[in-house]
Coordinates of all heavy atoms in Angstrom, one line a residue:
M1 N 112.6 193.0 160.3 CA 112.6 193.7 161.6 C 114.0 193.5 162.2 O 114.6 192.4 162.3 CB 111.6 193.0 162.5 CG 111.5 193.7 163.9 SD 110.0 193.2 164.7 CE 110.6 192.7 166.2
K2 N 114.6 194.6 162.6 CA 115.9 194.6 163.1 C 115.8 194.7 164.7 O 115.1 195.5 165.2 CB 116.7 195.8 162.6 CG 118.2 195.8 163.0 CD 118.9 196.9 162.3 CE 120.4 196.9 162.8 NZ 121.2 197.9 162.2
I3 N 116.6 193.9 165.4 CA 116.6 193.8 166.8 C 117.8 194.5 167.4 O 118.9 194.2 167.0 CB 116.5 192.4 167.4 CG1 115.2 191.8 166.9 CG2 116.6 192.4 168.9 CD1 115.1 190.3 167.3
D4 N 117.6 195.5 168.2 CA 118.7 196.2 168.9 C 119.0 195.4 170.2 O 118.3 195.4 171.1 CB 118.4 197.6 169.2 CG 119.5 198.4 169.9 OD1 120.6 197.9 170.0 OD2 119.2 199.5 170.5
P5 N 120.2 194.7 170.2 CA 120.5 193.9 171.4 C 120.7 194.7 172.7 O 120.8 194.2 173.8 CB 121.7 193.1 171.0 CG 122.3 193.8 169.9 CD 121.2 194.6 169.2
L6 N 120.9 196.0 172.5 CA 121.1 196.8 173.7 C 119.8 197.5 174.2 O 119.8 198.2 175.2 CB 122.1 197.9 173.4 CG 123.5 197.4 173.0 CD1 124.4 198.6 172.7 CD2 124.1 196.6 174.1
N7 N 118.7 197.2 173.5 CA 117.4 197.7 174.0 C 117.0 197.0 175.3 O 117.1 195.8 175.5 CB 116.3 197.3 172.9 CG 114.9 197.8 173.2 OD1 114.6 197.9 174.4 ND2 114.2 198.1 172.2
P8 N 116.7 197.9 176.3 CA 116.4 197.3 177.7 C 115.2 196.3 177.7 O 115.3 195.4 178.5 CB 116.0 198.5 178.5 CG 116.3 199.7 177.7 CD 116.6 199.3 176.3
I9 N 114.2 196.5 176.8 CA 113.1 195.6 176.8 C 113.6 194.2 176.2 O 113.2 193.1 176.8 CB 112.0 196.1 175.9 CG1 111.4 197.4 176.6 CG2 110.9 195.1 175.8 CD1 110.4 198.2 175.8
Y10 N 114.4 194.3 175.2 CA 115.0 193.0 174.6 C 115.9 192.3 175.7 O 115.7 191.1 175.9 CB 115.8 193.3 173.4 CG 116.6 192.1 172.9 CD1 115.9 191.2 172.1 CD2 117.9 191.9 173.2 CE1 116.6 190.1 171.6 CE2 118.6 190.8 172.7 CZ 117.9 189.9 171.9 OH 118.6 188.8 171.5
L11 N 116.7 193.1 176.4 CA 117.6 192.5 177.4 C 116.8 191.8 178.5 O 117.2 190.8 179.0 CB 118.6 193.5 177.9 CG 119.7 193.9 177.0 CD1 120.5 195.1 177.6 CD2 120.6 192.8 176.6
K12 N 115.7 192.5 178.9 CA 114.9 191.9 180.0 C 114.3 190.6 179.6 O 114.3 189.6 180.3 CB 113.8 192.9 180.4 CG 112.9 192.3 181.6 CD 111.8 193.3 181.9 CE 111.0 192.8 183.1 NZ 110.8 191.4 183.2
G13 N 113.7 190.6 178.4 CA 113.2 189.3 177.8 C 114.2 188.2 177.7 O 113.9 187.1 178.0
F14 N 115.4 188.6 177.2 CA 116.5 187.6 177.1 C 116.9 187.1 178.4 O 117.0 185.8 178.6 CB 117.7 188.3 176.4 CG 118.8 187.4 176.2 CD1 118.9 186.5 175.1 CD2 119.9 187.3 177.2 CE1 120.0 185.7 175.0 CE2 120.9 186.5 177.0 CZ 121.0 185.6 175.9
N15 N 117.1 187.9 179.4 CA 117.5 187.5 180.7 C 116.4 186.7 181.4 O 116.7 185.7 182.1 CB 117.8 188.7 181.6 CG 119.1 189.3 181.2 OD1 120.0 188.6 180.6 ND2 119.3 190.6 181.4
D16 N 115.1 187.0 181.2 CA 114.0 186.3 181.8 C 114.0 184.9 181.2 O 113.8 183.9 181.9 CB 112.7 187.0 181.6 CG 112.5 188.2 182.4 OD1 113.3 188.5 183.3 OD2 111.5 189.0 182.1
G17 N 114.2 184.8 179.9 CA 114.2 183.5 179.2 C 115.4 182.6 179.7 O 115.2 181.4 179.8
Y18 N 116.5 183.3 179.9 CA 117.7 182.6 180.3 C 117.5 182.0 181.7 O 117.8 180.8 181.9 CB 118.9 183.5 180.3 CG 120.2 182.9 180.8 CD1 120.9 182.1 179.9 CD2 120.7 183.1 182.1 CE1 122.1 181.5 180.3 CE2 121.9 182.5 182.5 CZ 122.6 181.8 181.6 OH 123.8 181.2 182.0
E19 N 116.9 182.8 182.6 CA 116.7 182.3 184.0 C 115.6 181.2 183.9 O 115.7 180.2 184.7 CB 116.2 183.4 184.9 CG 117.3 184.5 185.1 CD 118.5 183.9 185.8 OE1 118.3 183.0 186.8 OE2 119.6 184.2 185.5
A20 N 114.6 181.3 183.1 CA 113.6 180.2 183.0 C 114.2 179.0 182.5 O 113.9 177.9 183.0 CB 112.4 180.7 182.1
G21 N 115.1 179.1 181.5 CA 115.8 177.9 181.0 C 116.7 177.2 182.1 O 116.7 176.0 182.1
K22 N 117.3 178.0 182.9 CA 118.2 177.5 183.9 C 117.3 176.7 184.9 O 117.7 175.6 185.4 CB 118.9 178.6 184.7 CG 120.2 178.9 184.1 CD 121.2 179.7 184.9 CE 120.7 180.6 185.9 NZ 121.7 181.5 186.6
K23 N 116.2 177.3 185.3 CA 115.3 176.6 186.2 C 114.8 175.3 185.7 O 114.8 174.3 186.4 CB 114.1 177.5 186.6 CG 113.1 176.9 187.6 CD 112.0 177.8 187.9 CE 111.0 177.3 188.9 NZ 111.0 175.9 189.2
V24 N 114.4 175.2 184.4 CA 114.0 174.0 183.8 C 115.1 172.9 183.9 O 114.9 171.8 184.2 CB 113.5 174.2 182.4 CG1 113.3 172.9 181.6 CG2 112.2 175.0 182.4
A25 N 116.3 173.4 183.6 CA 117.5 172.4 183.6 C 117.7 171.9 185.0 O 118.0 170.7 185.2 CB 118.7 173.1 183.0
V26 N 117.7 172.8 186.0 CA 118.0 172.4 187.4 C 116.9 171.4 187.8 O 117.2 170.4 188.5 CB 118.1 173.6 188.3 CG1 118.1 173.2 189.7 CG2 119.3 174.4 188.0
D27 N 115.6 171.7 187.5 CA 114.5 170.8 187.9 C 114.7 169.5 187.3 O 114.4 168.4 187.9 CB 113.2 171.4 187.6 CG 112.8 172.6 188.4 OD1 113.4 172.8 189.5 OD2 111.9 173.4 188.0
Y28 N 115.0 169.4 186.0 CA 115.2 168.2 185.3 C 116.3 167.3 185.9 O 116.2 166.1 186.2 CB 115.6 168.5 183.8 CG 115.8 167.2 183.0 CD1 114.7 166.5 182.5 CD2 117.1 166.8 182.7 CE1 115.0 165.3 181.8 CE2 117.3 165.7 181.9 CZ 116.2 164.9 181.5 OH 116.5 163.8 180.7
F29 N 117.5 168.0 186.3 CA 118.6 167.3 186.9 C 118.2 166.8 188.3 O 118.5 165.6 188.7 CB 119.8 168.3 187.1 CG 120.9 167.6 187.8 CD1 121.8 166.8 187.1 CD2 121.2 167.8 189.1 CE1 122.9 166.2 187.7 CE2 122.2 167.2 189.7 CZ 123.1 166.4 189.0
A30 N 117.4 167.6 189.1 CA 117.0 167.2 190.4 C 116.1 166.0 190.3 O 116.2 165.1 191.1 CB 116.3 168.4 191.1
D31 N 115.2 166.0 189.3 CA 114.3 164.8 189.2 C 115.0 163.6 188.9 O 114.8 162.5 189.4 CB 113.2 165.1 188.1 CG 112.2 166.1 188.5 OD1 112.0 166.4 189.7 OD2 111.5 166.6 187.6
G32 N 116.0 163.7 188.0 CA 116.8 162.5 187.6 C 117.6 162.0 188.8 O 117.8 160.8 189.0
F33 N 118.2 163.0 189.6 CA 119.0 162.6 190.7 C 118.1 161.9 191.8 O 118.5 160.9 192.4 CB 119.7 163.8 191.3 CG 120.8 163.5 192.2 CD1 122.0 163.1 191.6 CD2 120.8 163.7 193.5 CE1 123.1 162.8 192.4 CE2 121.8 163.4 194.3 CZ 123.0 162.9 193.8
E34 N 116.9 162.4 191.9 CA 116.0 161.7 192.9 C 115.6 160.3 192.4 O 115.6 159.4 193.3 CB 114.7 162.6 193.1 CG 113.8 162.1 194.2 CD 112.7 163.1 194.6 OE1 112.9 164.3 194.4 OE2 111.7 162.6 195.0
K35 N 115.4 160.2 191.2 CA 115.1 158.8 190.6 C 116.3 157.9 190.9 O 116.1 156.7 191.2 CB 114.8 158.9 189.1 CG 113.4 159.5 188.8 CD 113.2 159.5 187.3 CE 111.9 160.2 187.0 NZ 111.7 160.4 185.6
L36 N 117.5 158.4 190.7 CA 118.7 157.6 190.9 C 118.8 157.2 192.4 O 119.1 156.0 192.6 CB 119.9 158.4 190.5 CG 121.2 157.7 190.6 CD1 121.2 156.5 189.6 CD2 122.4 158.7 190.3
Q37 N 118.4 158.0 193.3 CA 118.4 157.7 194.7 C 117.4 156.6 195.0 O 117.6 155.8 196.0 CB 118.2 158.9 195.6 CG 119.3 159.9 195.6 CD 119.0 161.0 196.5 OE1 119.0 160.8 197.7 NE2 118.8 162.2 196.0
N38 N 116.4 156.5 194.2 CA 115.3 155.5 194.5 C 115.6 154.2 193.7 O 114.7 153.3 193.7 CB 113.9 156.1 194.2 CG 113.6 157.2 195.1 OD1 114.0 157.2 196.2 ND2 112.9 158.2 194.6
T39 N 116.7 154.1 192.9 CA 117.0 153.0 192.1 C 117.6 151.9 192.9 O 118.5 152.1 193.7 CB 117.9 153.4 191.0 OG1 117.3 154.4 190.2 CG2 118.2 152.2 190.1
K40 N 117.1 150.7 192.8 CA 117.6 149.5 193.5 C 119.0 149.3 193.1 O 119.4 149.3 191.9 CB 116.8 148.3 193.2 CG 117.2 147.1 194.0 CD 116.2 145.9 193.7 CE 116.7 144.7 194.5 NZ 115.9 143.5 194.3
G41 N 119.9 149.1 194.0 CA 121.3 148.8 193.8 C 122.2 150.1 193.9 O 123.4 150.0 193.9
V42 N 121.6 151.2 194.0 CA 122.3 152.5 194.2 C 122.1 152.9 195.6 O 121.0 153.3 196.0 CB 121.9 153.6 193.2 CG1 122.6 154.9 193.5 CG2 122.0 153.2 191.8
G43 N 123.2 152.7 196.4 CA 123.1 153.0 197.8 C 123.6 154.4 198.2 O 124.0 155.2 197.4
E44 N 123.7 154.6 199.5 CA 124.1 155.9 200.0 C 125.6 156.2 199.7 O 125.9 157.3 199.3 CB 123.9 155.9 201.5 CG 124.3 157.2 202.2 CD 124.0 157.3 203.7 OE1 123.4 156.4 204.2 OE2 124.5 158.2 204.2
K45 N 126.4 155.1 199.7 CA 127.8 155.4 199.4 C 128.0 155.9 197.9 O 128.8 156.8 197.7 CB 128.6 154.1 199.6 CG 128.9 153.7 201.0 CD 129.7 152.4 201.0 CE 130.0 151.9 202.4 NZ 130.8 150.7 202.4
T46 N 127.3 155.3 197.0 CA 127.4 155.7 195.6 C 126.9 157.1 195.4 O 127.5 157.9 194.7 CB 126.6 154.7 194.7 OG1 127.1 153.4 194.9 CG2 126.7 155.1 193.2
I47 N 125.8 157.4 196.1 CA 125.2 158.7 196.0 C 126.2 159.8 196.5 O 126.4 160.8 195.9 CB 123.8 158.8 196.7 CG1 122.8 157.9 196.0 CG2 123.3 160.3 196.8 CD1 122.4 158.3 194.6
R48 N 126.8 159.5 197.7 CA 127.7 160.4 198.3 C 129.0 160.6 197.4 O 129.5 161.7 197.3 CB 128.2 159.9 199.6 CG 127.1 160.0 200.7 CD 127.6 160.1 202.1 NE 126.5 160.2 203.0 CZ 125.8 161.3 203.3 NH1 126.2 162.4 202.8 NH2 124.8 161.2 204.2
K49 N 129.4 159.5 196.7 CA 130.5 159.6 195.8 C 130.2 160.5 194.6 O 131.0 161.4 194.2 CB 130.9 158.3 195.2 CG 131.6 157.4 196.2 CD 131.9 156.0 195.6 CE 132.4 155.0 196.6 NZ 132.6 153.7 196.0
M50 N 128.9 160.4 194.1 CA 128.5 161.3 193.0 C 128.4 162.7 193.4 O 128.8 163.6 192.7 CB 127.1 160.8 192.5 CG 127.2 159.4 191.8 SD 125.6 158.9 191.3 CE 125.2 160.1 190.1
I51 N 127.9 162.9 194.6 CA 127.8 164.3 195.2 C 129.1 164.9 195.3 O 129.4 166.1 194.9 CB 127.0 164.3 196.5 CG1 125.5 164.0 196.3 CG2 127.2 165.6 197.2 CD1 124.8 163.7 197.6
K52 N 130.1 164.2 195.8 CA 131.4 164.7 196.0 C 132.1 164.9 194.6 O 132.7 166.0 194.4 CB 132.3 163.7 196.8 CG 133.7 164.2 197.1 CD 134.4 163.2 197.9 CE 135.8 163.8 198.2 NZ 136.6 162.8 198.9
A53 N 131.9 164.0 193.7 CA 132.6 164.2 192.3 C 132.0 165.4 191.6 O 132.7 166.1 190.9 CB 132.4 162.9 191.5
M54 N 130.7 165.6 191.7 CA 130.0 166.7 191.0 C 130.1 168.0 191.8 O 129.6 169.0 191.4 CB 128.6 166.4 190.7 CG 128.5 165.3 189.6 SD 126.8 165.0 189.0 CE 126.2 163.9 190.3
D55 N 130.6 168.0 193.0 CA 130.7 169.1 193.9 C 129.3 169.8 194.1 O 129.1 171.0 193.9 CB 131.7 170.1 193.4 CG 132.1 171.1 194.5 OD1 132.0 170.8 195.7 OD2 132.5 172.2 194.1
L56 N 128.3 168.9 194.4 CA 126.9 169.4 194.6 C 126.7 169.9 196.0 O 127.2 169.3 197.0 CB 125.9 168.3 194.3 CG 126.0 167.7 192.9 CD1 125.0 166.6 192.8 CD2 125.6 168.8 191.9
P57 N 125.9 171.0 196.2 CA 125.6 171.5 197.5 C 124.4 170.8 198.1 O 123.3 171.3 198.2 CB 125.3 173.0 197.2 CG 124.7 173.0 195.8 CD 125.4 171.9 195.1
V58 N 124.7 169.5 198.5 CA 123.6 168.7 199.0 C 123.9 168.4 200.5 O 125.0 168.0 200.9 CB 123.5 167.3 198.3 CG1 122.5 166.4 198.9 CG2 123.2 167.6 196.8
D59 N 122.9 168.7 201.3 CA 123.0 168.5 202.8 C 122.7 167.1 203.3 O 123.3 166.5 204.1 CB 122.2 169.5 203.6 CG 122.7 170.9 203.3 OD1 123.9 171.1 203.1 OD2 121.9 171.8 203.4
E60 N 121.6 166.5 202.7 CA 121.2 165.2 203.1 C 120.9 164.3 201.9 O 120.7 164.7 200.8 CB 119.9 165.3 204.0 CG 118.7 165.8 203.2 CD 117.4 165.8 204.1 OE1 117.4 166.6 205.0 OE2 116.5 165.1 203.8
V61 N 121.1 163.0 202.2 CA 120.8 162.0 201.2 C 119.7 161.1 201.6 O 119.6 160.7 202.8 CB 122.1 161.1 201.0 CG1 121.9 160.0 200.1 CG2 123.3 161.9 200.6
K62 N 118.7 160.9 200.7 CA 117.6 160.0 201.0 C 118.1 158.6 201.3 O 119.0 158.1 200.6 CB 116.6 159.9 199.9 CG 115.7 161.1 199.8 CD 114.6 160.8 198.8 CE 113.6 161.8 198.7 NZ 112.6 161.5 197.7
E63 N 117.6 157.9 202.2 CA 118.0 156.5 202.5 C 116.9 155.5 202.0 O 115.8 155.8 201.9 CB 118.3 156.3 203.9 CG 119.6 157.1 204.3 CD 120.0 156.8 205.7 OE1 119.6 155.8 206.3 OE2 120.6 157.7 206.3

């Protein structure tokens, strides 16, 4: 079976899969970052340094 990469149905499926993959990756990162905030020994200063170093769009930090 030959796949035409310019076929609109193929492109829609590809883009939908790409977006779903991005969502899974972002959710995974967010879960890990939340666990890090709840880790003993990692305080607000360390979290703020990480946010600044990674240029994350974070408004508030859990205390």
Side-chain angles (χ1 to χ4, degrees):
M1 181 165 130
K2 187 174 180 181
I3 296 175
D4 178 13
L6 299 179
N7 182 326
I9 295 170
Y10 173 80
L11 287 175
K12 180 181 180 332
F14 179 84
N15 290 329
D16 290 349
Y18 180 78
E19 292 300 318
K22 274 196 332 189
K23 182 179 179 339
V24 168
V26 169
D27 289 343
Y28 179 78
F29 179 81
D31 288 343
F33 200 72
E34 189 169 333
K35 287 179 186 175
L36 185 63
Q37 289 185 65
N38 296 326
T39 302
K40 185 176 178 180
V42 177
E44 184 178 348
K45 287 183 183 178
T46 303
I47 295 295
R48 290 205 182 274
K49 288 177 190 176
M50 292 177 65
I51 290 170
K52 184 176 179 183
M54 290 187 276
D55 197 26
L56 299 175
V58 176
D59 293 331
E60 68 179 61
V61 175
K62 281 187 174 181
E63 292 185 26

